[in-house]
Amino acid sequence: MTVHQPIAQFQENVRPVSAPLRRNRGERTFDLHPAVHFMVIGTYVAFAAILCTAFMGKDLIVPAAIVFIGIASLFITPGLWARVNPDDGLRKQSWGEFLQEGVDCITGHLTAGQAMAQILVLPGLMVSLAMVFAVVKATL
């Protein structure tokens, strides 16, 4: 009895499962509710704000402004790009529907919690790292 299957046999057994298309709803450009994007923006701004608060000096005002402008540009540019996509006139998925239905991605269906965990783990770790740096600076 073998425990591991050959990759080819495994790939033959995998069948993609897709959720039924909801014809009464329009699709968003980036397929996620905007609140998720604002959560990511919030973590990036929190990361920069914590570090700026902990290490700010007269010499760091211009670099801090550049960092905040860079963070803003990382999210404003895709937001403007999303407006280029024409509106299909259908209503979009609400926050409650997102929480109930989740999201489909290339690897299969994810619940809303799984999707937010995948998206927010790295930014959350960045905020935690900034807090650690701030505590270390405050104690030394």
Side-chain angles (χ1 to χ4, degrees):
M1 181 168 115
T2 61
V3 177
H4 301 288
Q5 304 179 37
I7 278 285
Q9 183 183 6
F10 176 75
Q11 288 175 341
E12 289 173 8
N13 294 335
V14 173
R15 292 191 181 107
V17 177
S18 61
L21 290 174
R22 301 203 189 279
R23 301 272 181 216
N24 63 340
R25 239 189 276 143
E27 301 235 349
R28 289 197 167 86
T29 302
F30 297 114
D31 290 336
L32 291 172
H33 195 275
V36 178
H37 296 288
F38 286 115
M39 289 178 203
V40 175
I41 293 168
T43 57
Y44 276 81
V45 170
F47 170 75
I50 292 168
L51 289 179
C52 287
T53 302
F55 297 101
M56 185 53 73
K58 289 181 181 180
D59 297 339
L60 292 178
I61 292 174
V62 173
I66 291 170
V67 166
F68 281 102
I69 290 170
I71 290 172
S73 69
L74 287 173
F75 294 100
I76 290 172
T77 304
L80 293 174
W81 187 255
R83 290 183 180 212
V84 173
N85 193 14
D87 188 18
D88 54 10
L90 299 173
R91 80 173 183 85
K92 308 294 188 237
Q93 184 182 40
S94 70
W95 178 250
E97 290 170 340
F98 171 70
L99 292 177
Q100 287 178 345
E101 299 169 6
V103 66
D104 287 323
C105 65
I106 196 165
T107 58
H109 183 77
L110 295 175
T111 65
Q114 291 169 334
M116 287 190 291
Q118 284 189 4
I119 294 167
L120 296 172
V121 164
L122 183 60
L125 289 173
M126 289 171 46
V127 170
S128 300
L129 183 64
M131 288 190 286
V132 167
F133 287 162
V135 167
V136 168
K137 171 147 186 326
T139 57
L140 296 180

